[in-house]
Amino acid sequence: LDAQVTRLGHALLGLGLQRGDVVGVMARNCQEMLLVYFACARAGLICAPANLGLRPNEIAWCLRDSRARVLIAETALCAHADVVAAEQLPDLQHQFWIRSAPEDEVPGDTLDALIARGSTEAEMNWPHTVAGRNMDTYHRWMQTVIAATMAGLSGALALHADAGYTALVALPLFHCAMLNSICVPVLLVGGKLVLTKGFDVAQATDLFDREEVHLVVLLPMMYGLLLGDPAMKGRTFGHMRRAMYAMAPMPEERLHQIHAMFPNADVVLGSGQTEFTPATCMQRPEHQWSKSKTWGTASAMTRVGVMDDEGRLLPRGETGELVYRGPQVMNGYLNQPEATAASMRHGWFHSGDVAHIDEDGAIWFKDRYKDVIKTGGENVASIEVERCLMEHAGVAEAAVIGLPHPRWGEAITGVVVARPDAQVDEAMLIAHCRRLLAPFKVPKAVVVVKEFPRTGTGKIQKHVIRTSHAALYDTGLHDRDAHDR
């Protein structure tokens, strides 16, 4: 791995790339994704993995905004990659292909051929101290290699990982949570990564046994698939030491079921934000029952506090905005200096989450300041979905909220007021959104109302809307599997 990383780093610089140039990647989980990631770090370049849940035009926008000069894509994604490359990308100069299967036809130069052109000399053209400060771009966030390294060291401690530790990596590597919270920590201690290109119950359980997996990280919906498969009834996996879940706390009944499947494992929640190179907090094993509804305690490299609107840190037990400090904080939002300054005011990163911290340091989430919905492991800006709904001729106003959902954590939910004399219904508006949005951004339900609750100044009261529709998904009537990714 190390030799290939060195070769690829040299080969990328041999293309004429300069320190800080961007290399875009479109790939599912594969060792080549890790090769590119580490080679960019070594060569002082920026790795920009594309979120494959986005539409091609959205990926193209990200690559254009970051001024990507190279695109490396998997052949299984050829159709999407060709659409992306056909967009107006004035800085894109090179494209290389990762074979998804040995027999795949390749429409151009391969990554293997590029690696073969690289030197095995240990030294790069750029001093190592400079390369250590290069940035990785995740969609719109910029973070340094130092941040990723600190997160990796912190993760190794939190995971209790050691040599021979084996992790199943089923969640996508284009999210920094898997790259920096799982892959880097496990590799740092000499462990093994088992990569899959998605989650399949039969494949995952076969690998649990065959590879003697110690760690798995899944979303609650994936644990639901495991537990709901008739073939899994009564099966246990004794090698598992840690079964982590992300996105949101799970009901105690579900935790008991997971413990029964993994009798020797701690079942704990890990969470954090891309801007702070997660995981920023993780449940301690001794809290997996007593504080299962918390986000856990701060990771080793993270300082967590609660702050009021005037920038004062509040004592334990008081409620305010969750703020973070530590070496793994982002450099900023790409091309958004005002948003960067706002997020870093008073010398802390502002999460937009409302919480309090108890006497043990455990974080109890209460609400969200930022208008962002965390659904199925993805962050979705409410305003983007609202704009989409407003583009429908029959919609006068739209408010988009996240509501509790047993599968998605938060379900994107549209609430709209129709134009006078217009006839709109849920199916019509969801179909409209499907045409314009990436699948994971499409509302799971749309509710048509006569009017919105408002403040005295006319502002829509989203907290009132959330409260009044909080039980919408309790009956399962709006659990639309057609939206599954």
Side-chain angles (χ1 to χ4, degrees), residues 329-406:
V329 69
M330 68 172 182
N331 272 34
Y333 296 108
L334 182 64
N335 300 330
Q336 296 186 52
E338 292 181 0
T340 299
S343 71
M344 297 300 297
R345 62 191 183 278
H346 308 303
W348 292 73
F349 171 73
H350 289 250
S351 69
D353 294 322
V354 182
H356 78 267
I357 302 175
D358 70 14
E359 69 282 357
D360 291 324
I363 299 163
W364 296 81
F365 171 77
K366 292 191 173 183
D367 202 351
R368 189 162 288 130
Y369 284 133
K370 290 183 177 179
D371 211 2
V372 172
I373 300 167
K374 297 184 178 182
T375 179
E378 300 283 0
N379 292 336
V380 177
S382 298
I383 191 171
E384 182 179 2
V385 186
E386 287 167 353
R387 285 172 177 163
C388 178
L389 287 167
M390 291 286 290
E391 288 178 11
H392 191 281
V395 174
E397 290 184 289
V400 171
I401 55 175
L403 293 178
H405 192 285

Side-chain angles (χ1 to χ4, degrees), residues 43-55:
L45 304 171
I46 298 173
C47 181
N51 183 334
L52 300 181
L54 297 175
R55 293 183 180 275

Side-chain angles (χ1 to χ4, degrees), residues 91 95 114 166 203 240 282 290 294 306 308 311 332 365 370 377 404 418 459 482:
D91 297 286
Q95 187 168 352
L114 178 64
T166 299
Q203 180 192 40
M240 197 71 69
M282 191 177 297
S290 61
T294 72
V306 171
D308 66 14
F365 171 77
K370 290 183 177 179
K459 185 178 180 181

